Amino acid sequence: MSTDKKDTSSMEKLVSLCKRRGFIYQSSEIYGGIGGFWDYGPLGAELKRNLRDTWWRAMTREREDVVGLDATIIMHPQIWKASGHVDTFTDPMADCLLTKKRFRADHVDLQSGMVYHFTGATGEEGTKSDVPFAVLTPFGKPRESALKVAKLFYESRGVKTPEPTGGEQGEKVENTRAYNPENGAQLTEPRPFNLMFKTYVGPTATEKDVAYLRPETAQAIFAQFRNVVDSSRVKVPFGICQIGKAFRNEVTPKNFTFRSREFEQMELEFFIKPDEAVEILAGSVVTWSEGADLSAPQPNWGWDMWHRYWVSQRVEYYNSIGLGTDVLDYYWQGPDDLAHYARACVDILFKFPFGTEELEGIAARGDFDLSQHQKHSGKPQEFFDDELKVAAAKLTDEQKEALIQKRIAFEAAKTKGTPLTEAEVRAWFDRLFKGFYVPHVIEPSAGLDRLALAVLAQAFTEEEKADVNGKTEVRTIMRLHPRIAPIKVGVFPLLKNKPELVGKAREVYDLLKKHMNCFYDETAAIGRRYARQDEAGTPFGVTIDFETLGEKGDEFKDTVTVRERDSNAQERVKISDLLGWLLQRLS
C-alpha cells in the first residue's frame, strides 16, 4: 500500500531477536519449517494474551453495548456460500514457467528492462520444443543472461543441450508484473485462486462432506445474531465481538508474521439502525462534519457518525498501548476501492519497517451480511423495535411517502451493486413502519498477529552503552508499553550467595506473582540482569539489596530499589507499598 523506504536491516534484527528471546518461532522448524505458519514462544504467548485482554476489555468490559462470542472454526459450508467466500474470495495467482514457484500476481514487484521472446529450441538427439518463452533482463544486462534462463527452461521441457531460437532483439518494457523478479522468467497469466482451506467433515470425504476452515471470524457473529438477540436482551445499537483463529491459503505469505496462513482476528460487528429508522425516531439524522463531537453516541446518529465514532475509538485504543499518531496513518477508501455493499471503509495503517501497511479496517457494511444470511437460510434476521413502530404510527401518509421517495432516489443513484426496485423499496418500508428492520453494521476488524508485530517493531530500540570496563556495546531495549509487556517486573537479589537477600527477594516475588507476570533472576551482575529484562521488554526491575535488610539504618529497611526501564530512573519503595505502586503504573 505504501512506497516507504524499507528498513531491511531493522526488520532482520527484529526477526532475530524474536527467535532468540522467545517471542516468535518458525513453525515446525526442526523439519525445515512450513511457510506462513508461526509459533509464539514464552514471551510472545504472554504478549498476545495481554493484547487480547486489552482489546477485550476495551470492547466489552468497559462498555454496556457490546457482548462477546466464541464460535467454532468449522461452520456449515452454506455460510461461506451466502457470504460470497466460495465464489469470490480469491487472489490472482501466477506461476513461474521455469521454477513453478507461485506468486500473487498483484504483489509481484514492478520491473523494467529488455524482454527477449524465444520461439522454441532445438537440441541433441533430435530433441526440440516449439513452446514460446520470454525472459526479462534489467537494463544494462546482456542478452546472454536471458539466453541462460531460456536454456534452463527448454532443458526442463526435455530438450538436450538446447539452443533457443528467436530472441535476437529485445523489447523495452517498463513497470510490468509479468516476469519472475528472481530470475526474469515469464509468469503464467493470472488466474483466480480461492484462499479458503478445504477440509471434510465425517469419515467419507466426498463432495457432500466438504467444509472450510473459516477465513474470518465475522460470519459466525452474523450467523448467531438472532440467538444473541433472543438470549441476551440486547437492543440496537449493540455489538458482538469475537477473538479467534482464521485461515487463509495465501499465495505468497510474506513480511514475517504480517501475512500468514494461520492468524488471529479481533472483530466487532456493531449493529445500528438504518438511517430511515433514525429519522423516524429522532426527526433527523446527524452526519459527520469536521469538528463533530464523537465522545458519546447520540440517538440521532446515522451510519456516518457511527463509522467515524468507531474509527476514533480504535485510534484511542492504539494510543493506550503505545501506538500513537506518529506511527499510525489512515487510508480512506474511495468509490473504486469499496465493495459494492459498503458505504465507507478506512484502513488504519502502521509504519512497519517493510512499509506502511494495514493494521485494521473499519467498514460501514450496510445490511449486506445479515440480509444475505436471511436470504440463503430462509430464517428472518430482522430486529423488532417497538419504539420505532410507535413512532412510525404517528407519521402522516405524506411523511411516509416522502421517506419512500427519498429512498427510491437513493437507489436510482447507485453506481455499484443492484439497486432496489420501487416495489422492493415499498415492501421494505412496509416492514419498517411496523417496527422491523435488518440492522446495518459497522465492522472494526483487526489482526492480532499484525498488532503483535506492530508493537514489537515500535518497541525495538538499539542503544550504545559503555560496560563496567568502559567498552562500548550495542544493547537492545524493547520499549513495550507496560500494559502489554509480557513480563511486568523482574525481581533480583543483589547477590545470590547471601541467603538473607535471596530469602527477602523470594518474599517479594511471592507477593507480586499472584497479581502480575514476574521473573526471578539471581545470576550474573545486576547490570547484566537489567539488560536481559530490557531486551524482553520488562518495564520495571526490583532489586533487594543490603539497605532492604536494614544494614545501613532503619530508614531504608524493608524498602527496595525499583528501576524503570525507559528512563533508568531508580526509586526506593516500601515493600508494603510496592504492589500498589506497580499496579498504578501498569494500568
Side-chain angles (χ1 to χ4, degrees):
M1 185 170 291
S2 170
T3 56
D4 296 314
K5 184 178 179 181
K6 296 175 175 56
D7 187 355
T8 305
S9 174
S10 175
M11 193 63 201
E12 289 174 349
K13 291 176 181 177
L14 177 60
V15 172
S16 175
L17 176 132
C18 283
K19 178 180 179 181
R20 176 165 49 84
R21 289 311 310 260
F23 282 101
I24 303 172
Y25 309 130
Q26 170 68 60
S27 175
S28 314
E29 185 179 6
I30 63 172
Y31 290 99
I34 179 170
F37 297 90
W38 302 91
D39 296 334
Y40 286 78
L43 292 182
E46 287 290 339
L47 174 65
K48 282 187 74 175
R49 180 176 295 278
N50 292 340
L51 289 170
R52 285 190 202 96
D53 289 346
T54 57
W55 187 90
W56 192 264
R57 180 175 294 278
M59 284 299 193
T60 61
R61 302 288 173 77
E62 296 174 2
R63 302 185 65 94
E64 297 180 18
D65 55 358
V66 178
V67 295
L69 182 73
D70 186 3
T72 59
I73 287 171
I74 295 177
M75 299 183 290
H76 197 292
Q78 281 298 112
I79 285 177
W80 306 114
K81 185 70 175 176
S83 66
H85 284 80
V86 171
D87 298 322
T88 63
F89 191 59
T90 60
D91 276 343
M93 176 187 69
D95 293 337
C96 174
L97 290 176
L98 175 60
T99 64
K100 309 304 180 187
K101 183 176 179 178
R102 186 158 289 174
F103 293 85
R104 180 167 162 177
D106 58 337
H107 284 183
V108 175
D109 292 336
L110 291 171
Q111 300 166 82
S112 300
M114 300 298 293
V115 174
Y116 295 90
H117 296 276
F118 300 94
T119 57
T122 57
E124 296 176 352
E125 301 178 14
T127 55
K128 60 180 290 189
S129 173
D130 295 326
V131 177
F133 181 64
V135 183
L136 180 144
T137 61
F139 291 124
K141 276 201 169 187
R143 173 180 178 273
E144 282 68 28
S145 61
L147 194 62
K148 183 178 180 180
V149 175
K151 288 181 177 180
L152 291 173
F153 170 75
Y154 287 112
E155 280 183 358
S156 70
R157 308 286 299 191
V159 182
K160 296 182 178 180
T161 317
E163 288 297 331
T165 55
E168 289 82 6
Q169 298 296 322
E171 173 193 2
K172 183 179 179 181
V173 174
E174 293 187 353
N175 296 326
T176 178
R177 299 186 192 273
Y179 299 88
N180 185 341
E182 298 168 0
N183 57 23
Q186 182 180 347
L187 299 177
T188 61
E189 287 293 321
R191 58 193 185 280
F193 173 72
N194 194 287
L195 301 180
M196 288 197 293
F197 281 100
K198 183 186 290 188
T199 187
Y200 298 92
V201 175
T204 56
T206 68
E207 282 303 305
K208 293 182 179 180
D209 305 311
V210 167
Y212 303 94
L213 303 187
R214 65 184 180 192
E216 63 176 38
T217 60
Q219 294 306 318
I221 295 175
F222 298 125
Q224 293 292 0
F225 168 76
R226 280 264 34 118
N227 279 334
V228 172
V229 169
D230 294 342
S231 63
S232 302
R233 300 183 65 193
V234 290
K235 292 182 66 176
V236 175
F238 79 98
I240 305 173
C241 70
Q242 179 173 205
I243 301 175
K245 291 278 191 180
F247 304 82
R248 295 181 184 177
N249 195 11
E250 294 284 354
V251 177
T252 52
K254 63 178 182 177
N255 291 329
F256 198 24
T257 58
F258 178 80
R259 189 176 299 281
S260 302
R261 291 181 168 122
E262 178 182 337
F263 53 96
E264 273 188 87
Q265 284 187 306
M266 304 183 295
E267 293 194 297
L268 167 69
E269 304 303 328
F270 195 82
F271 301 97
I272 60 175
K273 298 177 174 71
D275 279 11
E276 293 87 347
V278 174
E279 186 171 350
I280 292 171
L281 286 162
S284 63
V285 178
V286 173
T287 56
W288 184 83
S289 61
E290 197 69 41
D293 183 4
L294 296 172
S295 59
Q298 300 300 319
N300 60 352
W301 276 12
W303 71 264
D304 192 19
M305 284 292 285
W306 276 113
H307 184 241
R308 297 279 181 163
Y309 167 79
W310 276 110
V311 173
S312 70
Q313 288 290 297
R314 300 306 301 135
V315 172
E316 185 178 312
Y317 166 76
Y318 288 121
N319 287 333
S320 76
I321 58 171
L323 299 182
T325 54
D326 57 326
V327 293
L328 296 180
D329 206 345
Y330 310 91
Y331 176 69
W332 290 86
Q333 293 186 18
D336 293 338
D337 301 318
L338 290 171
H340 67 86
Y341 52 79
R343 292 187 167 184
C345 186
V346 60
D347 296 332
I348 298 179
L349 313 175
F350 177 78
K351 298 173 184 177
F352 290 97
F354 46 81
T356 301
E357 297 283 357
E358 180 186 348
L359 195 60
E360 174 167 353
I362 304 165
R365 296 176 62 91
D367 63 358
F368 173 78
D369 300 281
L370 286 177
S371 294
Q372 282 293 102
H373 288 299
Q374 179 171 265
K375 174 183 175 182
H376 283 259
S377 70
K379 306 291 177 59
Q381 300 300 312
E382 291 178 315
F383 180 83
F384 174 69
D385 191 324
D386 187 60
E387 293 178 1
L388 174 63
K389 180 182 178 181
V390 172
K394 297 177 181 179
L395 296 177
T396 65
D397 290 342
E398 290 78 9
Q399 288 173 319
K400 290 180 178 179
E401 185 62 25
L403 286 169
I404 293 170
Q405 290 300 322
K406 186 192 296 187
R407 179 62 183 269
I408 290 172
F410 170 80
E411 293 294 331
K414 274 185 177 180
T415 57
K416 281 189 174 183
T418 304
L420 297 179
T421 65
E422 179 176 342
E424 289 171 329
V425 170
R426 291 187 179 279
W428 185 84
F429 270 101
D430 183 60
R431 295 294 293 167
L432 186 72
F433 294 148
K434 293 176 182 176
F436 293 94
Y437 57 82
V438 174
H440 288 221
V441 169
I442 307 296
E443 179 191 73
S445 176
L448 177 55
D449 300 87
R450 288 188 178 186
L451 179 55
L453 182 58
V455 297
L456 287 170
Q458 169 70 0
F460 184 83
T461 310
E462 289 185 317
E463 288 186 357
E464 287 190 357
K465 191 171 183 178
D467 62 17
V468 291
N469 300 316
K471 182 181 178 181
T472 300
E473 62 178 356
V474 177
R475 293 176 53 185
T476 300
I477 302 175
M478 295 298 287
R479 301 189 187 279
L480 292 165
H481 192 284
R483 291 184 71 198
I484 60 173
I487 302 170
K488 305 302 185 185
V489 59
V491 179
F492 318 119
L494 185 63
L495 299 173
K496 69 175 182 179
N497 58 355
K498 296 292 183 179
E500 303 93 331
L501 292 174
V502 171
K504 183 61 72 171
R506 281 291 179 184
E507 288 180 19
V508 172
Y509 176 71
D510 290 340
L511 169 70
L512 299 178
K513 71 180 183 181
K514 298 175 183 177
H515 304 276
M516 64 193 72
N517 192 27
C518 305
F519 189 85
Y520 179 87
D521 190 0
E522 61 183 30
T523 61
I526 192 68
R528 179 56 60 187
R529 283 181 268 172
Y530 284 153
R532 287 198 291 244
Q533 290 307 303
D534 288 348
E535 200 174 52
T538 307
F540 298 104
V542 172
T543 302
I544 290 78
D545 51 26
F546 291 108
E547 291 176 336
T548 308
L549 303 178
E551 292 188 10
K552 295 187 179 181
D554 291 338
E555 180 182 0
F556 295 113
K557 186 177 181 182
D558 288 328
T559 66
V560 294
T561 299
V562 182
R563 180 251 191 191
E564 199 271 332
R565 178 198 64 210
D566 293 336
S567 66
N568 279 318
Q570 297 190 2
E571 184 175 343
R572 297 297 298 193
V573 178
K574 292 182 180 179
I575 294 176
S576 58
D577 297 335
L578 181 60
L579 178 59
W581 190 96
L582 288 169
L583 288 175
Q584 181 182 10
R585 286 156 179 79
L586 291 171
S587 63

